[in-house]
Amino acid sequence: MVCGNMAGLELLSDQGYRLDGRKASELRKVQARMGVFAQADGSAYLEQGNTKALAVVYGPHEIRGSRSWIRHDRAVINCQYSMATFSTAERKRRPHGDRKSTEMSLHLKQTFEAAVMTQLYPRSQIDIYVKILQSDGGNYSVCVNAATLAVIDAGIPMRDYVCACSVGFVDETPLADLCYAEESGGVSSLALALLPRGGQIALLQMDARLHQDHLDALIEAAMTACKGVGKVLDEVVRLHLKEVSVLTGE
Amino acid sequence: MMEVCGSSNVTLREFGCEQSLLSRPDGSASFIQGDTSVLAATYGPAEVKVSKEIYDRATLEVLIQPKVGLPSVRQRSQEQCVRETCEASLLLSLHPRSSLTLILQLIHDDGSILSCFLNAACMALIDAGLPMSCLFCGVTCAIDADGQIVTDPTAAQEKESRAVMTFAIDSTERRVIMSSTKGSFSVHELQQCIAVSQKASEKIFQFYRDSVKRRYSKTL
Amino acid sequence: MKDTPLSNCERDFLLKAIEEKKRLDGRQTYDYRKMKITFGTDYGCCFVDLGKTRVMAQVSCELVTPKENRPNEGIMFFNIELSPMASPAFEQGRQSELSVKLNRQLERCLRNSKCIDTESLCVVSGEKVWQIRVDVHMLNHDGNLMDAASIAAITALCHFRRPDVGIQGDEVTVYSPEERDPIPLSIYHMPISVSFSFFQQGTYLLVDPCEREERVMDGLLMIAMNKHREICSIQSSGGIMLLKEQVMRCSKIASVKVSEITELLSKALENDKKARKEGGRCGFAESMPQERITALKMDETSVEMTDVTERAKDIVQKTEAPPQLVRSPVVPVPGVGQVGQGLQNTWGLEEEDEEETEECDNSDEEQEEKVTKMEEEEHEKEASREGDVVEISDSEEEDVVILHPETPDKTPKNTESRSHQKGAAASKKRQKK
């Protein structure tokens, strides 16, 4: 079990290198693939450094279960976030149903309700299921990115890509895309979900102490990082589109 | 059979009551006996779940919330006592297929907690304007090691007493609606405690009357 | 119970009023409602009134073993109870979305920001640490539960005193409040959350929404700060799109509000400390307002006890004699107790030599009925079988016929004619001759 107290390790060296050799504003390597499951309406697999997430989308379809959730003018988005029991260094005993997972699911739901054009599908339901296969920091951000790709794969119209990234603040410098070691080092971390074209923030979440004067710089850094992620996602989507259209022989 | 001496220093602690202190519930009251304080709120008559509805009466639900932790078996047994008292005095048949919910929050426990619950419940029901056939009040008596009767005991007195009894007394005929006892005592002692409680209840009913009179003093 | 739904005209009215910068209770956009902080009788109990929203927080502590990965740190546990008292929509025991959201926000606001020195809660490293438990009860929901809860929680933590502990070698003694004065917790800073509600897709913003405003809002932004202008937590919820400028503006407003609230909080704590030092009675009872007509107080009264003894004697004499007491249990054989004789067997079997089985002493099971008369008959007919011990087997198998060498011809008949008693279905009885 990784010890929580990492005060001894230098999160940012004097030359400006982090624990894994990145520079302060460098993102981890993002690799993604869309359409991994044939059965689901949309699916995507995304790796950001060592964090791996799998997202699956079903919908829009008729509301199953309780009729009380029906909205007459828009679709209802139902999200479920869970971590695989083998995703962390110590086996997770309760992968879903605990408070943290429920909170994450609520946040994901909130993020996508803002971005997906739900008015086009009244009285229906869209399910988004995300599973973390390996957790190395930035769980929320990787989930959001993977879910964006899955929703695009399902062909559900969205206002814009939803890109998310986490940033931390060490020694007056914002660090983009935190890994687990940096997150648990007691660093103030901010997770941001952004729609890059309009610069609109879909979700903003911050923990740990940060002086108010640094907030501006931190949000700026987060937005730049998200825009970077957005570019990568855009490339992935275009590539996938090319592959698919080649296969269908257009 | 032990003789209980008629002592002249049987007292009730300081009382206090405030009604309508919460805006959401239909009726609310806080009742204070010395340092013991309880906050009560009622909702009703309101919609009832189909699984719980009764065709000719209202469904009464009592919930007791402790200060720390989740409700345990002790709270369930206290809920039962309060519920039976309320069901005996409320005119439930005037609101069939409805629900009445009574929620009691423990604020501070310094002895005589069950009687404080009962008094707070009655005041909250009065505040909500629910039809009742009689008012009720709760009185706790304790028999200490010497055999003296102590009414409205504090937590310290309860701990050292041989028996603790709580009676719910109705206002019309001063009869016992509910009794809950702990400890060993003789038949004679029981009757004496009941008699003492009936005497004490007169004071409490007078207090109810004064509270309500004061409350409506500006309108009447 | 369901909450009354919001009608369309109420919704339109509220939104229109907000567009014209008017609020239902006449406040300005950035104004908080009137806040009142009172304390209970024991340390760690605090009530916060934010307008009509009422919240109670209670802090308690106990000694537990620490977590394995943090052996010398104490444990903080937060719990927000949405009591059914606060709103008809809250149900007992159900973990609704709102409950999860509030709990997580409070945890992040107070725990992740490390407002309490957890290392000072350690008693014996690796074995015993203090677990501080904060229970927040919602008493009345009139909007903005999060702010009220955070203020109540941090005030209660500041007010709380934990028992003093003495360590002599291996022994740990916890001193009661009478023996040694309890110690306050060491608190680094006081994070307080401020809620901003957004309307019409983020165009309009209100601070401290009341319940009606919460119902029509699009989303909520919660910023927790302390008076040193450090942000402890930010959380946006509700699916709104924010712009960076809006977030920066909110954080500036929040810093102003937090400093005001912290001042009020410190003043309340000071007043309470003074009152306690002077020895006055503190608590919920004292804070009850006397001047209101809805409140009444009565002093200690004595109860007349003059004719109590006579009345009691009277009643006892007049009552009927109690019903015949049950005979005390008879122990025919060690390990078997018998209470009562039972009633006449009404199964209507015609065989003369009906046997009954003897009861076993298990008082939880329903008592088997026995027939005194039949016992006597049996007694006459056959050799005395009193003192026979009945074996109760827990097996679910059918009755097994046991052939005994003494009375081989009797056994098959016995199994037929035996009366399978009502009740006590789980155990089958066998007779041993």
Side-chain angles (χ1 to χ4, degrees):
Chain A
M1 179 71 185
V2 179
C3 173
N5 190 5
M6 301 277 260
L9 274 137
E10 246 184 16
L11 294 173
L12 189 68
S13 76
D14 302 318
Q15 289 92 24
Y17 288 110
R18 290 151 73 170
L19 284 175
D20 45 8
R22 286 184 280 154
K23 284 253 155 117
S25 56
E26 226 180 285
L27 299 169
R28 292 180 285 184
K29 182 158 181 215
V30 179
Q31 284 173 309
R33 229 171 48 228
M34 292 166 65
V36 282
F37 288 140
Q39 178 199 2
D41 291 333
S43 56
Y45 170 76
L46 188 121
E47 276 182 33
Q48 206 167 326
N50 280 331
T51 309
K52 306 184 193 333
L54 188 60
V56 167
V57 170
Y58 287 95
H61 55 74
E62 198 185 333
I63 292 209
R64 300 201 189 115
S66 143
R67 298 252 137 217
S68 57
W69 298 119
I70 294 188
R71 300 281 287 266
H72 68 279
D73 58 344
R74 36 205 287 250
V76 172
I77 298 194
N78 176 33
C79 283
Q80 204 191 65
Y81 163 92
S82 71
M83 295 180 74
T85 46
F86 45 80
S87 59
T88 45
E90 243 189 37
R91 184 174 184 276
K92 248 197 172 305
R93 238 175 289 156
R94 215 175 153 202
H96 45 73
D98 62 330
R99 275 192 197 155
K100 277 210 181 122
S101 312
T102 321
E103 195 201 17
M104 279 285 207
S105 313
L106 284 176
H107 288 164
L108 280 172
K109 177 182 152 102
Q110 169 197 327
T111 316
F112 282 95
E113 273 190 352
V116 170
M117 302 180 84
T118 46
Q119 303 88 303
L120 298 176
Y121 302 104
R123 313 183 77 88
S124 53
Q125 177 182 340
I126 301 175
D127 296 319
I128 305 180
Y129 301 113
V130 189
K131 199 164 193 81
I132 298 268
L133 299 175
Q134 188 172 307
S135 159
D136 187 31
N139 285 348
Y140 171 75
S141 332
V142 175
C143 280
V144 168
N145 297 333
T148 306
L149 290 179
V151 169
I152 293 176
D153 189 43
I156 301 175
M158 287 213 289
R159 294 198 173 87
D160 194 357
Y161 289 98
V162 186
C163 321
C165 193
S166 57
V167 283
F169 203 76
V170 172
D171 291 345
E172 318 278 317
T173 338
L175 303 177
D177 203 3
L178 300 170
C179 64
Y180 182 77
E182 291 164 339
E183 259 182 15
S184 48
V187 159
S188 8
S189 70
L190 179 124
L192 187 85
L194 185 77
L195 276 66
R197 247 184 296 186
Q200 293 162 314
I201 301 173
L203 186 121
L204 178 61
Q205 180 177 315
M206 203 199 83
D207 295 329
R209 289 156 77 172
L210 174 80
H211 200 271
Q212 192 185 3
D213 301 333
H214 303 307
L215 184 65
D216 193 22
L218 202 61
I219 298 188
E220 260 317 314
M223 289 172 84
T224 325
C226 286
K227 290 195 177 125
V229 173
K231 271 200 218 103
V232 176
L233 293 181
D234 193 38
E235 270 176 37
V236 169
V237 171
R238 285 181 203 279
L239 196 65
H240 177 75
L241 218 58
K242 231 189 276 182
E243 283 175 12
V244 165
S245 52
V246 160
L247 284 172
T248 53
E250 49 66 311
Chain B
M1 279 213 284
M2 272 196 61
E3 281 291 332
V4 180
C5 351
S7 141
S8 57
N9 59 352
V10 166
T11 55
L12 295 169
R13 288 182 285 180
E14 226 180 19
F15 279 2
C17 166
E18 192 181 345
Q19 294 186 313
S20 298
L21 57 161
L22 302 174
S23 68
R24 290 307 289 278
D26 296 326
S28 58
S30 84
F31 203 86
I32 300 168
Q33 279 176 224
D35 272 339
T36 306
S37 39
V38 164
L39 184 61
T42 46
Y43 282 100
E47 202 182 324
V48 69
K49 271 197 229 173
V50 180
S51 56
K52 291 200 193 151
E53 80 172 355
I54 307 179
Y55 72 96
D56 62 343
R57 289 188 287 134
T59 314
L60 176 67
E61 203 184 322
V62 178
L63 293 164
I64 295 188
Q65 312 271 357
K67 228 193 206 178
V68 176
L70 296 167
S72 68
V73 177
R74 172 181 297 238
Q75 274 77 42
R76 296 268 172 265
S77 77
Q78 287 168 335
E79 281 171 17
Q80 192 78 333
C81 294
V82 175
R83 195 161 66 86
E84 283 165 9
T85 317
C86 295
E87 280 188 350
S89 50
L90 281 168
L91 295 172
L92 295 173
S93 51
L94 288 181
H95 299 283
R97 294 199 172 87
S98 324
S99 81
L100 298 173
T101 315
L102 178 65
I103 302 122
L104 295 155
Q105 169 77 50
L106 175 63
I107 307 263
H108 194 250
D109 185 359
D110 191 33
S112 317
I113 191 63
L114 187 55
S115 58
C116 201
F117 279 141
L118 288 165
N119 293 332
C122 189
M123 294 246 67
L125 292 172
I126 295 175
D127 189 44
L130 290 168
M132 295 166 76
S133 61
C134 64
L135 299 179
F136 57 89
C137 77
V139 184
T140 306
C141 294
I143 304 180
D144 66 1
D146 310 324
Q148 304 270 45
I149 297 183
V150 179
T151 47
D152 205 12
T154 61
Q157 287 172 325
E158 271 187 3
K159 233 200 295 192
E160 290 167 15
S161 56
R162 178 168 38 98
V164 177
M165 309 179 219
T166 306
F167 301 105
I169 314 261
D170 84 312
S171 62
T172 45
E173 290 175 25
R174 304 281 187 273
R175 286 157 61 152
V176 174
I177 306 182
M178 186 276 302
S179 78
S180 165
T181 66
K182 189 175 78 153
S184 67
F185 45 87
S186 70
V187 173
H188 196 71
E189 286 169 339
L190 173 67
Q191 289 302 335
Q192 288 199 315
C193 286
I194 293 182
V196 171
S197 308
Q198 286 171 329
K199 281 277 161 90
S201 67
E202 286 166 25
K203 293 274 171 10
I204 303 181
F205 288 128
Q206 188 56 42
F207 178 70
Y208 285 176
R209 207 171 242 125
D210 292 337
S211 303
V212 176
K213 224 191 280 186
R214 182 179 155 100
R215 169 112 181 263
Y216 293 109
S217 59
K218 294 232 166 130
T219 43
L220 292 175
Chain C
M1 236 181 313
K2 276 201 282 213
D3 209 358
T4 42
L6 193 68
S7 61
N8 282 342
C9 41
E10 270 183 298
R11 179 187 297 267
D12 294 338
F13 178 79
L14 279 162
L15 289 173
K16 242 185 151 175
I18 291 170
E19 282 172 31
E20 295 174 12
K21 301 263 200 276
K22 296 203 182 102
R23 291 177 85 159
L24 275 186
D25 44 8
R27 284 186 281 158
Q28 295 296 320
T29 323
Y30 301 143
D31 279 351
Y32 253 83
R33 288 173 282 184
K34 185 157 157 289
M35 200 181 318
K36 195 166 91 136
I37 303 178
T38 44
F39 296 95
T41 323
D42 45 352
Y43 283 116
C45 177
C46 151
F47 295 88
V48 172
D49 284 7
L50 188 60
K52 292 197 205 140
T53 301
R54 202 145 201 227
V55 158
M56 171 176 93
Q58 171 72 51
V59 179
S60 53
C61 66
E62 66 172 337
L63 281 173
V64 296
T65 43
K67 293 198 181 138
E68 281 120 26
N69 55 331
R70 287 179 205 268
N72 55 346
E73 282 185 21
I75 304 176
M76 303 273 310
F77 182 70
F78 299 97
N79 182 36
I80 293 189
E81 284 279 332
L82 295 179
S83 167
M85 188 187 283
S87 161
F90 295 160
E91 273 173 35
Q92 168 80 340
R94 249 188 15 145
Q95 272 257 335
S96 66
E97 270 184 24
L98 179 64
S99 154
V100 170
K101 195 172 89 147
L102 290 174
N103 269 298
R104 282 293 301 153
Q105 279 182 347
L106 189 69
E107 264 184 37
R108 288 187 21 234
C109 177
L110 293 178
R111 188 188 284 158
N112 294 15
S113 62
K114 302 210 186 345
C115 61
I116 296 212
D117 181 14
T118 40
E119 290 196 4
S120 69
L121 298 173
C122 177
V123 176
V124 178
S125 174
E127 282 173 32
K128 285 216 175 302
V129 296
W130 284 110
Q131 179 188 41
I132 306 287
R133 189 196 164 107
V134 182
D135 284 283
V136 182
H137 296 271
M138 303 297 170
L139 300 177
N140 199 37
H141 176 29
D142 196 36
N144 207 2
L145 289 174
M146 185 61 220
D147 289 4
S150 82
I151 296 172
I154 194 64
T155 316
L157 283 167
C158 292
H159 191 247
F160 182 62
R161 306 264 183 277
R162 66 168 172 85
D164 197 2
V165 177
I167 310 178
Q168 283 117 4
D170 273 339
E171 266 196 37
V172 174
T173 28
V174 180
Y175 296 106
S176 71
E178 290 88 35
E179 295 168 14
R180 273 206 209 169
D181 277 341
I183 319 171
L185 300 172
S186 67
I187 298 184
Y188 289 142
H189 63 107
M190 304 205 284
I192 292 179
S193 86
V194 176
S195 297
F196 300 87
S197 53
F198 289 92
F199 302 85
Q200 307 283 42
Q201 277 83 49
T203 336
Y204 303 100
L205 149 72
L206 287 181
V207 174
D208 187 20
C210 71
E211 201 251 337
R212 289 263 170 261
E213 291 163 353
E214 267 189 3
R215 291 239 206 154
V216 297
M217 73 180 175
D218 287 338
L220 193 73
L221 177 68
M222 190 273 290
I223 301 186
M225 286 177 74
N226 61 23
K227 67 172 183 208
H228 308 292
R229 292 182 58 223
E230 285 173 340
I231 302 181
C232 303
S233 171
I234 303 184
Q235 179 68 56
S236 80
S237 61
I240 31 148
M241 314 273 229
L242 297 170
L243 295 169
K244 194 180 82 146
E245 293 74 35
Q246 286 176 314
V247 178
M248 299 310 299
R249 198 160 43 118
C250 290
S251 76
K252 288 198 182 58
I253 300 168
S255 61
V256 172
K257 293 292 161 200
V258 164
S259 51
E260 286 172 14
I261 297 174
T262 316
E263 237 188 79
L264 182 75
L265 218 155
S266 330
K267 224 190 303 184
L269 282 165
E270 272 299 315
N271 287 349
D272 179 73
K273 202 162 39 170
K274 230 189 297 181
R276 271 176 213 263
K277 217 189 276 196
E278 287 164 13
R281 275 183 52 186
C282 332
F284 191 60
E286 295 313 304
S287 63
M288 207 175 74
Q290 294 285 10
E291 324 76 39
R292 294 203 195 142
I293 55 172
T294 50
L296 183 63
K297 245 184 163 175
M298 201 168 82
D299 292 320
E300 211 168 299
T301 48
S302 60
V303 181
E304 278 174 39
M305 281 257 291
T306 40
D307 60 342
V308 159
T309 336
E310 289 78 33
R311 271 183 69 184
K313 263 201 208 134
D314 232 9
I315 294 175
V316 173
Q317 278 169 1
K318 282 200 199 142
T319 50
E320 305 162 351
Q324 194 171 22
L325 290 171
V326 172
R327 258 185 277 160
S328 21
V330 169
V331 183
V333 172
V336 177
Q338 177 188 318
V339 178
Q341 298 291 317
L343 301 171
Q344 172 115 19
N345 188 315
T346 53
W347 280 66
L349 293 171
E350 285 158 19
E351 272 90 337
E352 292 287 290
D353 49 359
E354 265 175 306
E355 284 115 25
E356 345 93 29
T357 56
E358 282 189 1
E359 296 168 321
C360 75
D361 67 332
N362 202 342
S363 55
D364 295 352
E365 280 178 275
E366 240 173 276
Q367 301 276 336
E368 307 289 294
E369 317 283 54
K370 277 189 0 178
V371 180
T372 330
K373 231 183 1 176
M374 291 194 59
E375 206 183 271
E376 288 169 27
E377 285 173 3
E378 205 190 276
H379 215 44
E380 292 162 355
K381 285 178 198 156
E382 293 152 28
S384 135
R385 276 191 287 120
E386 267 177 345
D388 275 0
V389 180
V390 178
E391 260 174 47
I392 308 291
S393 88
D394 282 342
S395 79
E396 303 287 318
E397 307 170 337
E398 284 295 314
D399 248 348
V400 176
V401 172
I402 296 178
L403 298 171
H404 291 276
E406 299 101 32
T407 50
D409 53 336
K410 280 250 166 123
T411 6
K413 235 174 163 187
N414 291 349
T415 49
E416 281 166 11
S417 65
R418 136 215 316 275
S419 36
H420 284 276
Q421 326 288 358
K422 34 194 182 286
S427 53
K428 307 265 184 179
K429 307 225 186 300
R430 254 186 266 150
Q431 278 201 332
K432 193 167 95 170
K433 307 234 170 59

